[in-house]
Amino acid sequence: MISIIGLGNAASRIAEKFTSTKNYNVFVLNSDVERKSKYKFKLKSFEKPEDYEKNIPNLKKFFEPVDDVVQFFVVGSSFSSNYSLGVLEQLKGKKVNLFYIQPDTELMTGIPKMLDKIVFSVLQEYARSGLLNSFTAISNVMVEKTIGNIPIKSYYDKINDSIFSTVHYINYFNHAEPEIGMNSKPLEINRIRTYGLLDVQNLEEKWLFDLDMGRDICYYLCINNERLENEGGLHKKIVDMLKDKPRNAYRRISYAIYETEHKDFGLCVAHTNAIQNYT
């Protein structure tokens, strides 16, 4: 089992998407919680960012049932992101993979932009130092581009559905046996990463964050079982396209092919050790 933790109202809405499957224990911490329960913790809200750091809640008992592997979601511009370091401190001993959801920063101003920049930088340093197992950056703007036109009323719900689906399938692939191929484990120093959608026909990536200096690139191809059984030369075609991807001593490529009863789809993950600049 994997524990999903959403910190803040926006991140909690992403985390709650994972309750649709049986593979996760989902914990949410936000100010909208009406009544504290085993999986819900009500956070206090303050007017000043510094007040959050002074009022870190004691979560020792709340985190008792948390699994050894944790996927922790936080939205950088939210005031509750100020709780991040104090909350993560109480998850010591757990394998924490942090997912940093970045909103549209171009029109952001004032305190939210300042918070986004600070938390984005600090949490990357935590990952690089090994205090976090990984730091995954996902941009709402780039997720929107992969979806297309989204109605305003369902904007965040569609974005969150896409983030959930991508993360869930990568989790699945990492615990499933491929038909052929194997994604190599990234070097330990490459703890900063992003995910992407993959066009199986031409292996074109649609990244969910513009990651600089990708080092380990892993491709996950999920192909209809009928094609896997009957289409001769398919493996060679895929491998040839992968060989055309940019590669060198610092940029490694690996792949794995899985079976599905549904339409073909693909995902990809890029890892790096380089701290990403805030834009």
Side-chain angles (χ1 to χ4, degrees):
M1 294 286 284
I2 297 173
S3 281
I4 305 293
I5 298 178
L7 179 64
N9 296 330
S12 291
R13 284 190 280 273
I14 298 172
E16 285 168 347
K17 295 288 183 181
F18 289 83
T19 60
S20 62
T21 72
K22 299 178 181 179
N23 304 316
Y24 307 100
N25 291 314
V26 178
F27 300 82
V28 295
L29 303 90
N30 60 69
S31 60
D32 284 346
V33 170
E34 294 182 0
R35 185 177 180 182
K36 182 181 173 183
S37 66
K38 180 179 179 180
Y39 296 107
K40 296 182 178 181
F41 189 94
K42 185 172 181 63
L43 292 176
K44 293 181 179 179
S45 296
F46 302 95
E47 292 186 5
K48 298 178 181 178
E50 56 269 26
D51 289 336
Y52 286 81
E53 298 175 24
K54 297 175 183 176
N55 293 276
I56 303 296
N58 185 341
L59 299 167
K60 183 178 180 180
K61 187 174 182 180
F62 181 68
F63 281 160
E64 279 182 357
V66 167
D67 297 284
D68 290 336
V69 177
V70 174
Q71 293 184 331
F72 188 101
F73 289 80
V74 61
V75 176
S77 60
S78 66
F79 271 55
S80 56
S81 66
N82 285 278
Y83 280 129
S84 295
L85 299 186
V87 172
L88 288 168
E89 180 73 19
Q90 298 176 69
L91 289 168
K92 270 188 175 179
K94 306 294 183 182
K95 184 178 180 181
V96 179
N97 298 294
L98 188 135
F99 289 80
Y100 188 89
I101 312 302
Q102 187 175 62
D104 190 342
T105 59
E106 286 192 38
L107 299 179
M108 196 184 299
T109 59
I111 292 177
K113 191 174 184 77
M114 177 193 71
L115 291 176
D116 192 51
K117 184 175 183 179
I118 292 172
V119 180
F120 180 75
S121 301
V122 171
L123 291 178
Q124 285 188 81
E125 293 290 355
Y126 262 52
R128 198 177 184 191
S129 67
L131 293 173
L132 295 173
N133 186 60
S134 67
F135 173 99
T136 302
I138 295 177
S139 161
N140 277 347
V141 173
M142 296 187 73
V143 174
E144 180 182 3
K145 289 179 181 178
T146 69
I147 300 173
N149 297 326
I150 309 175
I152 289 177
K153 283 197 171 184
S154 60
Y155 181 83
Y156 285 112
D157 194 50
K158 296 293 185 185
I159 294 284
N160 294 345
D161 278 338
S162 182
I163 292 172
F164 156 68
S165 177
T166 303
V167 175
H168 170 65
Y169 272 111
I170 292 293
N171 289 341
Y172 169 77
F173 292 143
N174 285 335
H175 291 87
E177 190 72 26
E179 294 294 318
I180 195 168
M182 180 177 293
N183 272 312
S184 62
K185 187 177 180 180
L187 297 177
E188 191 172 344
I189 61 171
N190 293 335
R191 296 178 181 270
I192 297 170
R193 63 188 186 179
T194 193
Y195 290 173
L197 308 186
L198 185 69
D199 187 327
V200 176
Q201 296 303 314
N202 56 21
L203 300 194
E204 179 183 350
E205 308 93 342
K206 292 183 178 179
W207 295 108
L208 303 186
F209 185 85
D210 189 13
L211 195 77
D212 187 34
M213 297 178 66
R215 300 299 195 193
D216 286 297
I217 316 296
C218 303
Y219 293 89
Y220 302 82
L221 294 90
C222 208
I223 298 177
N224 182 269
N225 52 16
E226 196 170 309
R227 289 189 70 195
L228 293 177
E229 288 178 4
N230 302 315
E231 190 170 331
L234 178 58
H235 181 247
K236 183 179 184 303
K237 178 183 176 182
I238 291 170
V239 170
D240 286 346
M241 286 191 288
L242 288 169
K243 288 179 178 178
D244 287 338
K245 298 283 184 184
R247 290 177 295 139
N248 54 44
Y250 302 101
R251 184 182 172 92
R252 306 188 306 168
I253 287 178
S254 60
Y255 76 100
I257 298 173
Y258 300 84
E259 178 185 30
T260 179
E261 296 179 355
H262 307 292
K263 291 182 179 179
D264 298 352
F265 70 96
L267 298 169
C268 43
V269 183
H271 308 257
T272 186
N273 66 330
I275 296 293
Q276 304 300 294
N277 293 323
Y278 185 82
T279 56

